[in-house]
Amino acid sequence: MKDLSTTYLGIPIKNPVVIGSSGLASSIGGIKKLADAGAAAIVLKSVFEEEIVAEADVTVAKQLGADENNLEFFDYYDYQVKNDVLENYVSLISEAKEAVDVPIIASINCSSYSEWVSYAKRIQSAGADGLELNIFKLPYGTKHSSEELEKIYFDIAKKVKEHITIPVGLKIAPYFTNLGNIIHRLSHSGVEGLILFNRFTSIDFDIENDQVITGNVYSASNEFTMPLRWISVMANNVGCDLIASTGVHDYRTLVKMLMAGASCTEVVSAVYKEGVEVIGWMLKELESWMERRGYQSLGDFKGKLSQGNSDHPEVFERVQFMRYFSDHKPVK
Ligand SMILES: Cc1cc2nc3c(=O)[nH]c(=O)nc-3n(C[C@H](O)[C@H](O)[C@H](O)COP(=O)(O)O)c2cc1C
């Protein structure tokens, strides 16, 4: 038996396979299946700022009707609807904590911090072991500068950390001009982990029916290269756990992320595609690989291929093909 123990947001976990936030963990049945299959920790489906606000708007509009006098009820209904959505989430956390013995991590998808401070407190009271904040606004607006958008991340992290004591992780996207600088600064902002990276739903076009449709919902197994590069480049230059997310589909990618310097990985698409059994396969094959390579624990090889531990750090910074592929033969 190998020692697969590691940490997620500084929380001790029994192995490096954490289930990332998704519908896989939106019911007690699903959560139990994941834990039984060997998941080391489970991130619940996110509670969405937009959803709560939208649901509150619809319900409040119905209650108001045409009668303006009803406006006095606005605040009450607005509060009540948001409260109901959050109440369901809080119940899921406490039921999950009773049902399984692995860490349960709540997840909030947010783009402002106005209401999240009180939500975070209730999530902590319900017994969540940690909180993941999925922060993102697509930067297509023309009014705000990069600095203003970046400040939102630090403000949210600061506010939430001021009000709760459980570990907090930030799940971010790679879309920053100076990604290394942001990862470094966020890792020292008081949070316990950074999840690199979030993967968004994409758009596609149906060219026969002139429609915008949803692109691939699940990641492909070759999408791991972006988190791999950034984890290996930043691993020796951060103040918290780095957690790999996107494209972890088998034990090979799991090993690569650990060798890059990740403390663990989050897995979603592989479980949707292959079933919960993929968790056990990954762990079994990880152990066989460690046996083959003579490793006893993850610490024996964690970060071994990070840029900081490399004799050729320049390789990590090479992004242009230059002469390297000048004699590359076209595929027939
Ligand atoms: C069906 C589905 C639902 C998801 N829901 C959420 C969510 O509620 N919150 C979140 O932060 N990420 C969500 N994600 C993103 C995943 O947590 C993860 O970041 C992404 O799928 C990349 O990891 P993967 O390559 O292992 O799938 C979802 C992904 C999928 C496929």
Side-chain angles (χ1 to χ4, degrees):
M1 281 288 277
K2 301 293 177 190
D3 176 7
L4 302 185
S5 64
T6 179
T7 57
Y8 164 85
L9 310 184
I11 304 167
I13 52 173
K14 63 183 177 181
N15 70 57
V17 178
V18 172
I19 301 303
S21 178
S22 69
L24 292 166
S26 55
S27 70
I28 293 300
I31 292 165
K32 273 190 184 155
K33 264 195 202 166
L34 295 165
D36 288 347
I42 298 168
V43 186
L44 301 181
K45 172 85 185 145
S46 302
V47 58
F48 280 76
E49 179 178 5
E50 288 168 64
E51 252 167 29
I52 291 185
V53 172
E55 187 157 345
D57 287 350
V58 170
T59 310
V60 170
K62 275 189 202 150
Q63 296 296 340
L64 286 174
D67 185 353
E68 274 194 8
N69 290 333
N70 283 341
L71 279 171
E72 68 193 69
F73 292 114
F74 180 90
D75 281 347
Y76 171 73
Y77 283 118
D78 184 57
Y79 170 79
Q80 194 58 40
V81 175
K82 287 178 183 173
N83 207 43
D84 289 350
V85 174
L86 196 63
E87 204 49 54
N88 291 337
Y89 199 64
V90 162
S91 305
L92 181 68
I93 297 171
S94 26
E95 284 170 35
K97 282 299 294 171
E98 293 216 344
V100 299
D101 60 2
V102 294
I104 292 295
I105 314 301
S107 169
I108 296 178
N109 183 301
C110 49
S111 53
S112 67
Y113 62 74
S114 55
E115 315 230 10
W116 297 107
V117 175
S118 65
Y119 295 173
K121 276 192 202 161
R122 285 177 60 189
I123 280 170
Q124 171 168 282
S125 308
D129 296 283
L131 174 64
E132 217 178 81
L133 298 172
N134 174 345
I135 310 173
F136 192 63
K137 249 190 176 329
L138 201 63
Y140 59 80
T142 52
K143 286 194 186 131
H144 298 288
S145 69
S146 320
E147 285 79 11
E148 285 172 296
L149 294 180
E150 286 172 8
K151 188 172 175 296
I152 295 172
Y153 290 74
F154 292 91
D155 287 347
I156 293 178
K158 184 162 176 278
K159 282 277 169 207
V160 171
K161 282 301 294 178
E162 274 169 11
H163 288 85
I164 59 172
T165 52
I166 53 173
V168 172
L170 300 183
K171 186 177 187 184
I172 63 169
Y175 308 121
F176 291 93
T177 310
N178 190 348
L179 187 53
N181 172 278
I182 278 286
I183 290 174
H184 176 73
R185 287 196 294 135
L186 284 176
S187 81
H188 289 284
S189 68
V191 297
E192 282 77 10
L194 294 179
I195 295 94
L196 308 181
F197 295 104
N198 196 5
R199 178 181 185 273
F200 303 113
T201 50
S202 50
I203 61 159
D204 197 354
F205 289 166
D206 172 349
I207 58 170
E208 300 304 330
N209 296 297
D210 303 353
Q211 301 241 316
V212 183
I213 56 173
T214 306
N216 285 337
V217 174
Y218 303 131
S219 67
S221 59
N222 61 3
E223 288 183 40
F224 70 86
T225 52
M226 177 81 103
L228 186 73
R229 176 188 292 272
W230 284 98
I231 289 169
S232 43
V233 165
M234 297 306 299
N236 300 73
N237 202 4
V238 286
C240 67
D241 279 351
L242 292 183
I243 295 118
S245 164
T246 296
V248 182
H249 285 231
D250 58 27
Y251 87 93
R252 288 185 195 85
T253 309
L254 170 62
V255 167
K256 289 175 194 180
M257 295 302 186
L258 297 170
M259 290 186 110
S263 66
C264 61
T265 61
E266 285 192 1
V267 180
V268 173
S269 294
V271 179
Y272 271 110
K273 286 179 172 177
E274 312 270 346
V276 292
E277 294 78 13
V278 75
I279 302 167
W281 299 334
M282 284 167 82
L283 293 172
K284 196 161 161 270
E285 286 168 314
L286 169 64
E287 284 204 71
S288 307
W289 176 85
M290 286 171 68
E291 180 64 26
R292 223 164 49 237
R293 298 296 313 275
Y295 296 130
Q296 295 311 315
S297 68
L298 302 192
D300 293 344
F301 61 94
K302 182 183 167 205
K304 194 175 177 186
L305 291 182
S306 64
Q307 186 184 33
N309 291 337
S310 173
D311 294 335
H312 298 285
E314 71 285 356
V315 174
F316 291 81
E317 286 157 28
R318 188 180 294 149
V319 286
Q320 307 292 2
F321 288 109
M322 296 193 293
R323 270 184 306 155
Y324 189 64
F325 279 134
S326 59
D327 56 356
H328 189 69
K329 302 276 180 300
V331 180
K332 290 266 158 53

PDB file of all heavy atoms in Angstrom, residues 20-23 45-46 48 134 171 198-199 217-219 245-247 266-269 272, ligand 1:
ATOM      1  N   GLY A  20     -14.586  17.662  -8.692  1.00  0.00           N
ATOM      2  CA  GLY A  20     -14.840  19.084  -8.897  1.00  0.00           C
ATOM      3  C   GLY A  20     -16.331  19.399  -8.896  1.00  0.00           C
ATOM      4  O   GLY A  20     -17.174  18.504  -9.060  1.00  0.00           O
ATOM      5  N   SER A  21     -16.627  20.660  -8.741  1.00  0.00           N
ATOM      6  CA  SER A  21     -18.021  21.100  -8.667  1.00  0.00           C
ATOM      7  C   SER A  21     -18.781  20.783  -9.957  1.00  0.00           C
ATOM      8  O   SER A  21     -18.328  21.105 -11.051  1.00  0.00           O
ATOM      9  CB  SER A  21     -18.037  22.611  -8.427  1.00  0.00           C
ATOM     10  OG  SER A  21     -19.363  23.064  -8.390  1.00  0.00           O
ATOM     11  N   SER A  22     -19.932  20.134  -9.812  1.00  0.00           N
ATOM     12  CA  SER A  22     -20.767  19.781 -10.978  1.00  0.00           C
ATOM     13  C   SER A  22     -22.033  19.115 -10.466  1.00  0.00           C
ATOM     14  O   SER A  22     -22.169  18.872  -9.261  1.00  0.00           O
ATOM     15  CB  SER A  22     -20.044  18.784 -11.885  1.00  0.00           C
ATOM     16  OG  SER A  22     -19.950  17.544 -11.222  1.00  0.00           O
ATOM     17  N   GLY A  23     -22.924  18.773 -11.400  1.00  0.00           N
ATOM     18  CA  GLY A  23     -24.157  18.091 -11.039  1.00  0.00           C
ATOM     19  C   GLY A  23     -23.914  16.710 -10.441  1.00  0.00           C
ATOM     20  O   GLY A  23     -24.831  16.096  -9.898  1.00  0.00           O
ATOM     21  N   LYS A  45     -22.067  20.998  -6.206  1.00  0.00           N
ATOM     22  CA  LYS A  45     -22.526  21.868  -7.305  1.00  0.00           C
ATOM     23  C   LYS A  45     -22.583  23.297  -6.764  1.00  0.00           C
ATOM     24  O   LYS A  45     -23.001  23.517  -5.633  1.00  0.00           O
ATOM     25  CB  LYS A  45     -23.917  21.377  -7.746  1.00  0.00           C
ATOM     26  CG  LYS A  45     -24.631  22.267  -8.726  1.00  0.00           C
ATOM     27  CD  LYS A  45     -24.214  21.961 -10.128  1.00  0.00           C
ATOM     28  CE  LYS A  45     -24.846  22.943 -11.116  1.00  0.00           C
ATOM     29  NZ  LYS A  45     -23.947  23.242 -12.237  1.00  0.00           N
ATOM     30  N   SER A  46     -22.177  24.256  -7.576  1.00  0.00           N
ATOM     31  CA  SER A  46     -22.166  25.644  -7.086  1.00  0.00           C
ATOM     32  C   SER A  46     -23.565  26.184  -6.871  1.00  0.00           C
ATOM     33  O   SER A  46     -24.490  25.853  -7.610  1.00  0.00           O
ATOM     34  CB  SER A  46     -21.510  26.575  -8.102  1.00  0.00           C
ATOM     35  OG  SER A  46     -20.212  26.197  -8.385  1.00  0.00           O
ATOM     36  N   PHE A  48     -25.399  29.551  -7.448  1.00  0.00           N
ATOM     37  CA  PHE A  48     -25.081  30.634  -8.383  1.00  0.00           C
ATOM     38  C   PHE A  48     -25.715  31.958  -7.972  1.00  0.00           C
ATOM     39  O   PHE A  48     -26.920  32.027  -7.779  1.00  0.00           O
ATOM     40  CB  PHE A  48     -25.567  30.282  -9.791  1.00  0.00           C
ATOM     41  CG  PHE A  48     -24.632  29.355 -10.515  1.00  0.00           C
ATOM     42  CD1 PHE A  48     -24.604  28.008 -10.200  1.00  0.00           C
ATOM     43  CD2 PHE A  48     -23.765  29.826 -11.488  1.00  0.00           C
ATOM     44  CE1 PHE A  48     -23.737  27.142 -10.854  1.00  0.00           C
ATOM     45  CE2 PHE A  48     -22.890  28.969 -12.137  1.00  0.00           C
ATOM     46  CZ  PHE A  48     -22.881  27.620 -11.822  1.00  0.00           C
ATOM     47  N   ASN A 134     -15.945  30.350  -7.151  1.00  0.00           N
ATOM     48  CA  ASN A 134     -15.739  30.350  -8.594  1.00  0.00           C
ATOM     49  C   ASN A 134     -16.084  31.760  -9.073  1.00  0.00           C
ATOM     50  O   ASN A 134     -17.236  32.128  -9.177  1.00  0.00           O
ATOM     51  CB  ASN A 134     -16.661  29.285  -9.200  1.00  0.00           C
ATOM     52  CG  ASN A 134     -16.648  29.281 -10.704  1.00  0.00           C
ATOM     53  OD1 ASN A 134     -16.190  30.217 -11.335  1.00  0.00           O
ATOM     54  ND2 ASN A 134     -17.172  28.225 -11.283  1.00  0.00           N
ATOM     55  N   LYS A 171     -11.313  29.408  -7.566  1.00  0.00           N
ATOM     56  CA  LYS A 171     -11.230  28.697  -8.838  1.00  0.00           C
ATOM     57  C   LYS A 171     -11.222  29.765  -9.924  1.00  0.00           C
ATOM     58  O   LYS A 171     -12.207  30.495 -10.080  1.00  0.00           O
ATOM     59  CB  LYS A 171     -12.447  27.787  -8.969  1.00  0.00           C
ATOM     60  CG  LYS A 171     -12.434  26.892 -10.168  1.00  0.00           C
ATOM     61  CD  LYS A 171     -13.665  25.999 -10.115  1.00  0.00           C
ATOM     62  CE  LYS A 171     -13.656  24.951 -11.180  1.00  0.00           C
ATOM     63  NZ  LYS A 171     -14.902  24.166 -11.150  1.00  0.00           N
ATOM     64  N   ASN A 198     -10.688  26.917 -14.143  1.00  0.00           N
ATOM     65  CA  ASN A 198     -12.087  26.654 -14.447  1.00  0.00           C
ATOM     66  C   ASN A 198     -12.230  26.448 -15.963  1.00  0.00           C
ATOM     67  O   ASN A 198     -11.438  26.982 -16.737  1.00  0.00           O
ATOM     68  CB  ASN A 198     -12.922  27.862 -14.017  1.00  0.00           C
ATOM     69  CG  ASN A 198     -14.391  27.541 -13.923  1.00  0.00           C
ATOM     70  OD1 ASN A 198     -14.802  26.387 -14.096  1.00  0.00           O
ATOM     71  ND2 ASN A 198     -15.192  28.550 -13.644  1.00  0.00           N
ATOM     72  N   ARG A 199     -13.174  25.649 -16.371  1.00  0.00           N
ATOM     73  CA  ARG A 199     -13.446  25.466 -17.806  1.00  0.00           C
ATOM     74  C   ARG A 199     -14.882  25.882 -18.022  1.00  0.00           C
ATOM     75  O   ARG A 199     -15.782  25.373 -17.349  1.00  0.00           O
ATOM     76  CB  ARG A 199     -13.253  23.999 -18.200  1.00  0.00           C
ATOM     77  CG  ARG A 199     -13.556  23.704 -19.648  1.00  0.00           C
ATOM     78  CD  ARG A 199     -13.360  22.210 -19.931  1.00  0.00           C
ATOM     79  NE  ARG A 199     -13.530  21.926 -21.340  1.00  0.00           N
ATOM     80  CZ  ARG A 199     -14.709  21.669 -21.901  1.00  0.00           C
ATOM     81  NH1 ARG A 199     -15.816  21.674 -21.178  1.00  0.00           N
ATOM     82  NH2 ARG A 199     -14.777  21.407 -23.196  1.00  0.00           N
ATOM     83  N   VAL A 217     -19.676  20.099 -23.684  1.00  0.00           N
ATOM     84  CA  VAL A 217     -19.883  20.298 -22.246  1.00  0.00           C
ATOM     85  C   VAL A 217     -18.721  19.683 -21.463  1.00  0.00           C
ATOM     86  O   VAL A 217     -18.258  20.241 -20.473  1.00  0.00           O
ATOM     87  CB  VAL A 217     -21.225  19.647 -21.809  1.00  0.00           C
ATOM     88  CG1 VAL A 217     -21.395  19.707 -20.300  1.00  0.00           C
ATOM     89  CG2 VAL A 217     -22.392  20.337 -22.510  1.00  0.00           C
ATOM     90  N   TYR A 218     -18.220  18.539 -21.953  1.00  0.00           N
ATOM     91  CA  TYR A 218     -17.149  17.842 -21.238  1.00  0.00           C
ATOM     92  C   TYR A 218     -15.789  18.166 -21.856  1.00  0.00           C
ATOM     93  O   TYR A 218     -15.672  18.358 -23.067  1.00  0.00           O
ATOM     94  CB  TYR A 218     -17.376  16.335 -21.293  1.00  0.00           C
ATOM     95  CG  TYR A 218     -18.713  15.928 -20.737  1.00  0.00           C
ATOM     96  CD1 TYR A 218     -19.557  15.075 -21.445  1.00  0.00           C
ATOM     97  CD2 TYR A 218     -19.144  16.422 -19.510  1.00  0.00           C
ATOM     98  CE1 TYR A 218     -20.802  14.717 -20.937  1.00  0.00           C
ATOM     99  CE2 TYR A 218     -20.377  16.077 -19.002  1.00  0.00           C
ATOM    100  CZ  TYR A 218     -21.204  15.220 -19.710  1.00  0.00           C
ATOM    101  OH  TYR A 218     -22.425  14.885 -19.208  1.00  0.00           O
ATOM    102  N   SER A 219     -14.778  18.145 -21.010  1.00  0.00           N
ATOM    103  CA  SER A 219     -13.429  18.395 -21.521  1.00  0.00           C
ATOM    104  C   SER A 219     -12.934  17.172 -22.285  1.00  0.00           C
ATOM    105  O   SER A 219     -13.440  16.057 -22.109  1.00  0.00           O
ATOM    106  CB  SER A 219     -12.471  18.683 -20.361  1.00  0.00           C
ATOM    107  OG  SER A 219     -12.282  17.531 -19.566  1.00  0.00           O
ATOM    108  N   SER A 245      -7.212  21.454 -12.361  1.00  0.00           N
ATOM    109  CA  SER A 245      -8.556  21.177 -12.866  1.00  0.00           C
ATOM    110  C   SER A 245      -8.582  21.416 -14.371  1.00  0.00           C
ATOM    111  O   SER A 245      -8.023  22.406 -14.852  1.00  0.00           O
ATOM    112  CB  SER A 245      -9.570  22.107 -12.175  1.00  0.00           C
ATOM    113  OG  SER A 245     -10.779  22.127 -12.872  1.00  0.00           O
ATOM    114  N   THR A 246      -9.228  20.542 -15.075  1.00  0.00           N
ATOM    115  CA  THR A 246      -9.458  20.505 -16.531  1.00  0.00           C
ATOM    116  C   THR A 246      -8.555  19.490 -17.222  1.00  0.00           C
ATOM    117  O   THR A 246      -7.322  19.624 -17.221  1.00  0.00           O
ATOM    118  CB  THR A 246      -9.309  21.882 -17.228  1.00  0.00           C
ATOM    119  OG1 THR A 246     -10.319  22.760 -16.720  1.00  0.00           O
ATOM    120  CG2 THR A 246      -9.537  21.758 -18.749  1.00  0.00           C
ATOM    121  N   GLY A 247      -9.232  18.479 -17.757  1.00  0.00           N
ATOM    122  CA  GLY A 247      -8.547  17.487 -18.585  1.00  0.00           C
ATOM    123  C   GLY A 247      -7.903  16.341 -17.831  1.00  0.00           C
ATOM    124  O   GLY A 247      -7.153  15.573 -18.427  1.00  0.00           O
ATOM    125  N   GLU A 266      -8.756  17.989  -9.468  1.00  0.00           N
ATOM    126  CA  GLU A 266     -10.220  17.906  -9.473  1.00  0.00           C
ATOM    127  C   GLU A 266     -10.628  17.220 -10.773  1.00  0.00           C
ATOM    128  O   GLU A 266     -10.111  17.557 -11.842  1.00  0.00           O
ATOM    129  CB  GLU A 266     -10.843  19.296  -9.401  1.00  0.00           C
ATOM    130  CG  GLU A 266     -10.756  19.898  -8.016  1.00  0.00           C
ATOM    131  CD  GLU A 266     -11.610  21.152  -7.854  1.00  0.00           C
ATOM    132  OE1 GLU A 266     -12.295  21.567  -8.822  1.00  0.00           O
ATOM    133  OE2 GLU A 266     -11.587  21.718  -6.757  1.00  0.00           O
ATOM    134  N   VAL A 267     -11.546  16.277 -10.649  1.00  0.00           N
ATOM    135  CA  VAL A 267     -11.969  15.486 -11.804  1.00  0.00           C
ATOM    136  C   VAL A 267     -13.479  15.619 -11.972  1.00  0.00           C
ATOM    137  O   VAL A 267     -14.218  15.493 -11.001  1.00  0.00           O
ATOM    138  CB  VAL A 267     -11.592  14.001 -11.583  1.00  0.00           C
ATOM    139  CG1 VAL A 267     -12.024  13.148 -12.764  1.00  0.00           C
ATOM    140  CG2 VAL A 267     -10.097  13.866 -11.333  1.00  0.00           C
ATOM    141  N   VAL A 268     -13.929  15.900 -13.188  1.00  0.00           N
ATOM    142  CA  VAL A 268     -15.378  16.005 -13.457  1.00  0.00           C
ATOM    143  C   VAL A 268     -15.751  15.237 -14.728  1.00  0.00           C
ATOM    144  O   VAL A 268     -16.455  14.220 -14.682  1.00  0.00           O
ATOM    145  CB  VAL A 268     -15.837  17.486 -13.576  1.00  0.00           C
ATOM    146  CG1 VAL A 268     -17.296  17.567 -14.030  1.00  0.00           C
ATOM    147  CG2 VAL A 268     -15.675  18.202 -12.245  1.00  0.00           C
ATOM    148  N   SER A 269     -15.259  15.700 -15.893  1.00  0.00           N
ATOM    149  CA  SER A 269     -15.686  15.109 -17.168  1.00  0.00           C
ATOM    150  C   SER A 269     -15.421  13.602 -17.230  1.00  0.00           C
ATOM    151  O   SER A 269     -16.235  12.846 -17.750  1.00  0.00           O
ATOM    152  CB  SER A 269     -14.988  15.798 -18.339  1.00  0.00           C
ATOM    153  OG  SER A 269     -15.413  17.133 -18.423  1.00  0.00           O
ATOM    154  N   TYR A 272     -18.205  11.857 -15.586  1.00  0.00           N
ATOM    155  CA  TYR A 272     -19.425  11.893 -16.416  1.00  0.00           C
ATOM    156  C   TYR A 272     -19.312  10.878 -17.557  1.00  0.00           C
ATOM    157  O   TYR A 272     -20.269  10.198 -17.886  1.00  0.00           O
ATOM    158  CB  TYR A 272     -19.630  13.285 -17.020  1.00  0.00           C
ATOM    159  CG  TYR A 272     -20.440  14.229 -16.148  1.00  0.00           C
ATOM    160  CD1 TYR A 272     -19.833  15.312 -15.524  1.00  0.00           C
ATOM    161  CD2 TYR A 272     -21.812  14.056 -15.969  1.00  0.00           C
ATOM    162  CE1 TYR A 272     -20.566  16.198 -14.736  1.00  0.00           C
ATOM    163  CE2 TYR A 272     -22.552  14.942 -15.187  1.00  0.00           C
ATOM    164  CZ  TYR A 272     -21.917  16.005 -14.571  1.00  0.00           C
ATOM    165  OH  TYR A 272     -22.645  16.868 -13.804  1.00  0.00           O
TER     166      TYR A 272
HETATM  167  C1  LIG B   1     -22.016  19.290 -16.277  1.00  0.00           C
HETATM  168  C2  LIG B   1     -21.028  20.198 -15.599  1.00  0.00           C
HETATM  169  C3  LIG B   1     -21.453  21.037 -14.571  1.00  0.00           C
HETATM  170  C4  LIG B   1     -20.537  21.906 -13.950  1.00  0.00           C
HETATM  171  N1  LIG B   1     -20.971  22.732 -12.937  1.00  0.00           N
HETATM  172  C5  LIG B   1     -20.076  23.518 -12.287  1.00  0.00           C
HETATM  173  C6  LIG B   1     -20.459  24.327 -11.193  1.00  0.00           C
HETATM  174  O1  LIG B   1     -21.614  24.349 -10.756  1.00  0.00           O
HETATM  175  N2  LIG B   1     -19.514  25.092 -10.595  1.00  0.00           N
HETATM  176  C7  LIG B   1     -18.197  25.093 -11.000  1.00  0.00           C
HETATM  177  O2  LIG B   1     -17.370  25.791 -10.390  1.00  0.00           O
HETATM  178  N3  LIG B   1     -17.800  24.346 -12.052  1.00  0.00           N
HETATM  179  C8  LIG B   1     -18.703  23.555 -12.690  1.00  0.00           C
HETATM  180  N4  LIG B   1     -18.285  22.778 -13.745  1.00  0.00           N
HETATM  181  C9  LIG B   1     -16.871  22.854 -14.180  1.00  0.00           C
HETATM  182  C10 LIG B   1     -16.070  21.722 -13.534  1.00  0.00           C
HETATM  183  O3  LIG B   1     -16.039  21.829 -12.117  1.00  0.00           O
HETATM  184  C11 LIG B   1     -14.632  21.701 -14.042  1.00  0.00           C
HETATM  185  O4  LIG B   1     -13.980  22.916 -13.712  1.00  0.00           O
HETATM  186  C12 LIG B   1     -14.528  21.508 -15.566  1.00  0.00           C
HETATM  187  O5  LIG B   1     -15.472  20.568 -16.017  1.00  0.00           O
HETATM  188  C13 LIG B   1     -13.126  21.054 -15.953  1.00  0.00           C
HETATM  189  O6  LIG B   1     -12.767  19.837 -15.329  1.00  0.00           O
HETATM  190  P1  LIG B   1     -12.832  18.434 -16.127  1.00  0.00           P
HETATM  191  O7  LIG B   1     -11.924  18.538 -17.270  1.00  0.00           O
HETATM  192  O8  LIG B   1     -12.415  17.395 -15.126  1.00  0.00           O
HETATM  193  O9  LIG B   1     -14.258  18.263 -16.549  1.00  0.00           O
HETATM  194  C14 LIG B   1     -19.179  21.905 -14.373  1.00  0.00           C
HETATM  195  C15 LIG B   1     -18.776  21.039 -15.400  1.00  0.00           C
HETATM  196  C16 LIG B   1     -19.664  20.195 -16.000  1.00  0.00           C
HETATM  197  C17 LIG B   1     -19.188  19.270 -17.098  1.00  0.00           C
END
